[in-house]
Amino acid sequence: MTTPTTVTWLTQEAHDRLAAELHTLSTIGRDDIAKKIESAREEGDLKENAGYHAAKEEQGKMEARIRTLTLLLRTAEVGSAPESHGVVEPGTVITAVIAGDESRFLIGSREIAGDSDLDVYSEQSPLGVAIIGLSVGASTTYTTPSGKEIAVQISLVETWTGN
């Protein structure tokens, strides 16, 4: 049974940055962790060898990141940020009043934002699902995972400029 894949929009810069990270992890990263594991193995009894267990845990996290990046890059749609037309869509920066507080955030993949301090919400998140397709001035509510109903009003939709 296969699971449906989600297409993620990425800028060319984000795609290139993630491809470079994947290459580094798949080559240098794997070599480094193999050396750490081998070095820890040489210390003796593996049951009580904290260095060995830490290296194996690090290896697991790195392999998970490699799988995540591989899938993301395989299914990514690379292009320019969509030009804002006042409608919420992936790759746009939203200013909204959420539960009475004004927030500014990007709708899309956290990978798009790179080093930006901007908060990022996935278009599949409860907030993302609720506001995708809304225009400036529109209001809606969404339900949090804990069951709380939260009001949202869209104040501004801007084109993502990379910061």
Side-chain angles (χ1 to χ4, degrees):
M1 186 162 143
T2 60
T3 57
T5 56
T6 302
V7 174
T8 301
W9 173 83
L10 294 175
T11 63
Q12 186 64 55
E13 180 274 329
H15 184 275
D16 294 347
R17 178 174 36 81
L18 295 172
E21 179 185 353
L22 176 60
H23 177 74
T24 300
L25 289 175
S26 299
T27 55
I28 297 167
R30 281 183 170 151
D31 289 345
D32 288 349
I33 198 69
K35 289 174 186 169
K36 286 181 184 178
I37 291 170
E38 186 57 36
S39 175
R41 256 193 201 129
E42 291 172 0
E43 293 175 11
D45 184 11
L46 297 182
K47 287 183 182 177
E48 296 184 22
N49 187 329
Y52 173 78
H53 292 290
K56 289 295 283 182
E57 184 175 329
E58 184 180 344
Q59 180 186 38
K61 289 177 182 178
M62 183 180 65
E63 291 299 328
R65 180 67 176 162
I66 289 170
R67 284 190 301 277
T68 299
L69 289 173
T70 300
L71 180 61
L72 178 66
L73 292 171
R74 184 180 305 137
T75 60
E77 183 177 310
V78 180
S80 300
E83 191 66 35
S84 170
H85 297 98
V87 176
V88 178
E89 59 184 312
T92 55
V93 177
I94 311 306
T95 302
V97 177
I98 302 173
D101 295 324
E102 187 171 87
S103 296
R104 186 170 183 265
F105 54 90
L106 174 67
I107 288 288
S109 168
R110 204 168 294 289
E111 307 296 354
I112 299 169
D115 295 332
S116 170
D117 290 335
L118 198 58
D119 288 335
V120 180
Y121 290 94
S122 164
E123 56 265 35
Q124 287 88 31
S125 70
L127 175 60
V129 169
I131 66 173
I132 290 289
L134 294 183
S135 299
V136 172
S139 295
T140 191
T141 61
Y142 72 97
T143 306
T144 66
S146 67
K148 185 176 179 184
E149 210 51 35
I150 297 182
V152 180
Q153 181 174 13
I154 307 301
S155 304
L156 182 64
V157 179
E158 302 171 273
T159 300
W160 168 246
T161 59
N163 51 20

